[in-house]
Amino acid sequence: MSPQALAQGIVDGQAMAQRRAMAKAITLLESTRADHRAQADELLTALLPHTGRALRLGISGVPGVGKSTFIEALGLYLIGQGHRVAVLAVDPSSSVSGGSILGDKTRMERLSVHERAYIRPSPSSGTLGGVAEKTREAMLVCEAAGYDVVIVETVGVGQSETAVHGMTDMFCLLQLPNAGDDLQAIKKGVMELADLVVINKADLDPDAATRAQAQITSSLRLLGLHGHPEHMHHDERIWHPQVIRISALRGQGVADFWAQVQTFSRLQQDSGRWQHKRQQQARAWMWERIDAGLREAFRQHAAVRQKLPALSDAVLQGRQVPSAAARELLAVFLRAQEQAC
Amino acid sequence: MSPQALAQGIVDGQAMAQRRAMAKAITLLESTRADHRAQADELLTALLPHTGRALRLGISGVPGVGKSTFIEALGLYLIGQGHRVAVLAVDPSSSVSGGSILGDKTRMERLSVHERAYIRPSPSSGTLGGVAEKTREAMLVCEAAGYDVVIVETVGVGQSETAVHGMTDMFCLLQLPNAGDDLQAIKKGVMELADLVVINKADLDPDAATRAQAQITSSLRLLGLHGHPEHMHHDERIWHPQVIRISALRGQGVADFWAQVQTFSRLQQDSGRWQHKRQQQARAWMWERIDAGLREAFRQHAAVRQKLPALSDAVLQGRQVPSAAARELLAVFLRAQEQAC
């Protein structure tokens, strides 16, 4: 099937036909073959005019916090409100573990079989940058297919959160009602990314949940007050990160959560921050792929491959200055271009 | 003067002759002219066998914490013990501010005029990566000249700390006896880098200093306990970060500080961590310079410069997929090489 026909199947297809086109498209995007990559770029270009209208929601939290239960409850609630919901994941460890998040669809039993939901596990190969790129591209496929809420799930180790923050409009952090956990989230820089902190399992120990809410609220205030302007992810005049308590298992608090998301979305859109953030994300995505591509080309370059092992050893053994070794390798890599120019 | 003669002046020169050779060498290293750069690489290669024997100490802390007073007290103490002390700085903001750290040598009045001390302000141009590279190279000059303690100062904004941590054997964080400050240091990821936390100005409010010491000790324990192994900068079996109280102004606690440094240094050397860390630093330095060089060459490339503005606009305006734009630009950049291969 041509990329154009595939794009049409995604945009105009109905029910199972659309679902098959989406699966085919995402498989094409994940292929590493050069001819597939060229087709994938054609496909993405054809889809692009039909993308960008979904709300992109990042959801993070350590294992055991109840992400799947929460996402299932949220997804079913949103479908009840007339939305179509896609759930994607970024989990760079899934190639090792065999897929720790969303690998087992039975964890979202009811959502995964719903015709208005589309669930896709994390791409299972490559670096974080590569996994994130495939998820970003899959997000465009879902948007072109008319899914108007895209949830991107990740698991709390810091770097993958930054990647998911970089591809979503709003980033939500799930926490347990356990006062010690917030220090970990602060340390990893995850707390700082959060537009909304959700204390799940609040029914288990309501007092602990209330204490955790107060403590996280106070930490967020300190992070906001003392933050260096360059490093700020929020504009405090528009939105101050909120902390809410829910119980996903009992379905309590999901409507409250969605109300917060809508308030955030409205304030951001009215202030122009929404569009500005998406532009910054697009620019950063392009440069991240350029950097990754440059390094890949460098490592594959014949003359670099010939010189690198000996120079690298010399650097490790203190026989060569690292910056001089870098300049020597760069000269080898760039020589071909200078000659051509 | 040839790079070889300059190297000899640094290694064998005495007093003012050596000092002049060092200043000339560092000026050469900081030059951006291509012929200077080639000479600088020759110089560094000639110096390399005479480097690596100093203790490299990173010292960080927010403005007002008393870094200069502490470094002067420490430097004079070390000279009294027979050492020769070099003080360098990494301050990427100095091109804007005109040199906020070490720019004004009068802040270390007694140390700066001592014949056994060498003080050099931060290179004042370029990116953090460029500034850090020049400081690393200046460090090699100081080591070749026989300075056996090299102190690299930086000011607390997070990224420059990571750079200084990446070029030193031990990283020390100065804090005020103010309980709220540790949250900031944790947030910026600076606390996590610290091998030793020093509470300065402990004489002003001894009770507050004791409370801060207890609180930071407890934070460090939590960071250590919960840390993800990949992100750990310490091996807890060998060294657990310590917290000490000093008063640099009164000269109290400097000997205690140095005893901690020596204990750390001995434990690290005995366990092989010292050498391992230096090797990792050398490798990371080489790759950081390669990445920076690749991006620079990419941005300067004639065909890329011609295509970039329009593609970049298309990405920002949502008319082009960022990953596809990246692949298009990379193809343009790499075409010359493929043809030459």
Side-chain angles (χ1 to χ4, degrees):
Chain A
M1 205 187 291
S2 74
Q4 276 69 24
L6 198 51
Q8 204 184 337
I10 291 165
V11 174
D12 298 329
Q14 296 300 312
M16 284 314 291
Q18 184 183 55
R19 212 170 264 271
R20 274 194 301 272
M22 291 172 72
K24 227 175 236 180
I26 294 176
T27 303
L28 180 65
L29 294 172
E30 292 183 2
S31 169
T32 51
R33 273 174 48 183
D35 58 330
H36 285 173
R37 196 60 256 180
Q39 288 175 33
D41 280 347
E42 270 187 72
L43 170 69
L44 289 170
T45 305
L47 293 178
L48 196 63
H50 307 279
T51 66
R53 286 186 290 271
L55 194 155
R56 301 167 179 172
L57 197 61
I59 294 186
S60 165
V62 295
V65 75
K67 279 194 302 296
S68 300
T69 309
F70 174 66
I71 291 171
E72 174 155 86
L74 176 63
L76 293 170
Y77 172 84
L78 292 173
I79 287 171
Q81 304 271 311
H83 295 283
R84 292 177 70 202
V85 180
V87 184
L88 307 170
V90 171
D91 178 11
S93 69
S94 67
S95 56
V96 179
S97 65
S100 58
I101 51 177
L102 289 180
D104 182 8
K105 283 197 187 182
T106 58
R107 290 189 309 131
M108 297 187 197
E109 237 173 15
R110 292 168 59 207
L111 190 64
S112 63
V113 299
H114 203 291
E115 58 170 20
R116 296 178 69 80
Y118 186 85
I119 299 183
R120 176 95 188 176
S122 178
S124 62
S125 66
T127 58
L128 172 58
V131 168
E133 177 179 29
K134 298 307 159 207
T135 302
R136 279 174 185 274
E137 293 180 345
M139 183 192 282
L140 298 180
V141 172
C142 296
E143 290 185 349
Y147 290 86
D148 64 335
V149 179
V150 180
I151 296 171
V152 186
E153 178 186 8
T154 192
V155 65
V157 292
Q159 291 169 310
S160 57
E161 270 74 5
T162 306
V164 170
H165 180 264
M167 67 176 81
T168 53
D169 302 312
M170 182 176 189
F171 187 78
C172 305
L173 174 65
L174 259 66
Q175 290 273 100
L176 288 172
N178 175 347
D181 276 2
D182 62 331
L183 184 69
Q184 275 311 300
I186 293 171
K187 175 194 163 189
K188 290 180 194 142
V190 173
M191 183 73 84
E192 205 183 354
L193 301 177
D195 300 304
L196 182 62
V197 177
V198 180
I199 300 170
N200 192 19
K201 306 191 184 179
D203 54 316
L204 294 184
D205 185 345
D207 290 347
T210 306
R211 279 197 306 276
Q213 186 178 24
Q215 181 160 345
I216 294 169
T217 303
S218 135
S219 297
L220 285 169
R221 191 160 298 138
L222 277 166
L223 291 176
L225 279 178
H226 295 286
H228 194 277
E230 283 178 38
H231 300 137
M232 294 292 289
H233 298 284
H234 313 284
D235 185 335
E236 292 283 324
R237 290 162 302 181
I238 297 165
W239 175 259
H240 185 82
Q242 301 293 304
V243 186
I244 62 169
R245 285 172 291 163
I246 66 159
S247 169
L249 199 62
R250 298 189 179 194
Q252 288 165 356
V254 172
D256 184 24
F257 172 86
W258 188 243
Q260 292 278 355
V261 172
Q262 286 181 303
T263 304
F264 175 82
S265 155
R266 187 172 38 77
L267 291 171
Q268 295 285 101
Q269 290 194 5
D270 290 352
S271 67
R273 290 274 299 175
W274 190 271
Q275 193 53 28
H276 177 68
K277 190 173 172 183
R278 285 200 171 181
Q279 289 191 336
Q280 284 184 314
Q281 289 176 338
R283 188 207 313 264
W285 179 12
M286 183 181 84
W287 280 106
E288 191 223 289
R289 295 326 297 163
I290 289 172
D291 285 337
L294 288 173
R295 193 188 263 219
E296 174 73 10
F298 180 81
R299 283 184 177 277
Q300 300 293 331
H301 188 269
V304 169
R305 287 174 67 159
Q306 201 187 344
K307 281 210 161 220
L308 184 59
L311 268 175
S312 196
D313 274 1
V315 163
L316 285 188
Q317 289 162 21
R319 290 183 285 108
Q320 172 66 289
V321 182
S323 51
R327 283 187 286 268
E328 193 175 333
L329 289 165
L330 284 165
V332 162
F333 179 72
L334 298 170
R335 195 163 300 142
Q337 284 184 314
E338 280 157 19
Q339 286 167 349
C341 284
Chain B
M1 204 187 293
S2 75
Q4 277 67 26
L6 198 50
Q8 204 185 338
I10 291 165
V11 174
D12 298 328
Q14 296 300 312
M16 285 313 292
Q18 184 183 56
R19 212 170 264 270
R20 274 194 301 272
M22 290 173 72
K24 227 176 236 179
I26 294 176
T27 303
L28 180 66
L29 294 172
E30 292 182 3
S31 169
T32 51
R33 272 175 50 184
D35 58 330
H36 285 174
R37 196 59 257 179
Q39 288 175 36
D41 280 347
E42 269 187 71
L43 170 69
L44 289 170
T45 305
L47 292 178
L48 197 62
H50 306 280
T51 66
R53 285 186 292 270
L55 193 154
R56 301 167 179 172
L57 198 61
I59 294 186
S60 166
V62 295
V65 75
K67 280 193 300 298
S68 300
T69 309
F70 174 66
I71 292 170
E72 174 156 87
L74 175 64
L76 292 170
Y77 171 83
L78 291 173
I79 287 171
Q81 304 271 313
H83 295 283
R84 293 177 69 202
V85 180
V87 184
L88 307 171
V90 171
D91 178 12
S93 70
S94 66
S95 56
V96 179
S97 65
S100 59
I101 51 178
L102 290 179
D104 181 9
K105 283 197 188 183
T106 58
R107 291 189 309 133
M108 298 187 197
E109 240 174 11
R110 292 168 59 208
L111 190 64
S112 63
V113 298
H114 204 290
E115 58 170 21
R116 296 179 70 80
Y118 186 85
I119 299 183
R120 177 93 188 177
S122 179
S124 62
S125 66
T127 58
L128 172 58
V131 168
E133 176 178 30
K134 298 306 159 208
T135 302
R136 280 174 185 274
E137 293 180 345
M139 183 192 282
L140 299 180
V141 172
C142 295
E143 289 185 350
Y147 290 85
D148 63 336
V149 179
V150 180
I151 296 171
V152 186
E153 179 186 9
T154 192
V155 65
V157 292
Q159 291 169 309
S160 58
E161 270 73 6
T162 306
V164 171
H165 179 264
M167 68 176 81
T168 53
D169 302 311
M170 183 174 188
F171 187 78
C172 305
L173 175 64
L174 259 67
Q175 290 272 100
L176 288 172
N178 176 348
D181 276 2
D182 61 331
L183 184 68
Q184 275 312 299
I186 292 171
K187 176 193 162 188
K188 290 179 193 143
V190 174
M191 183 72 83
E192 200 180 0
L193 302 177
D195 299 303
L196 182 63
V197 177
V198 179
I199 300 169
N200 192 19
K201 305 191 184 179
D203 55 316
L204 293 185
D205 185 345
D207 290 346
T210 306
R211 278 197 306 276
Q213 185 178 25
Q215 180 160 345
I216 295 169
T217 303
S218 135
S219 297
L220 285 170
R221 191 161 299 139
L222 277 165
L223 291 176
L225 279 177
H226 296 287
H228 193 277
E230 283 178 38
H231 301 136
M232 294 292 289
H233 297 284
H234 312 285
D235 184 335
E236 291 284 325
R237 290 162 301 182
I238 298 164
W239 175 259
H240 185 81
Q242 301 292 304
V243 186
I244 62 169
R245 287 172 290 164
I246 66 158
S247 168
L249 200 62
R250 299 191 179 192
Q252 288 165 356
V254 173
D256 184 23
F257 172 86
W258 188 244
Q260 292 277 356
V261 172
Q262 285 181 304
T263 304
F264 174 81
S265 155
R266 186 171 38 76
L267 290 171
Q268 294 286 100
Q269 291 195 6
D270 291 351
S271 68
R273 290 273 297 176
W274 190 270
Q275 192 53 28
H276 177 68
K277 190 173 173 182
R278 284 200 171 181
Q279 288 190 336
Q280 283 185 315
Q281 289 176 337
R283 188 206 313 263
W285 180 12
M286 183 180 84
W287 279 105
E288 191 224 289
R289 295 326 296 164
I290 289 172
D291 285 338
L294 288 173
R295 193 188 262 221
E296 174 73 9
F298 180 82
R299 283 184 177 278
Q300 299 295 329
H301 188 269
V304 169
R305 287 175 67 158
Q306 201 186 343
K307 281 210 160 220
L308 184 59
L311 268 174
S312 196
D313 274 0
V315 163
L316 285 188
Q317 289 162 21
R319 291 183 285 108
Q320 172 65 291
V321 182
S323 51
R327 283 187 285 269
E328 193 175 332
L329 288 166
L330 283 166
V332 163
F333 179 72
L334 298 170
R335 194 163 300 143
Q337 284 183 314
E338 280 157 20
Q339 287 167 349
C341 286

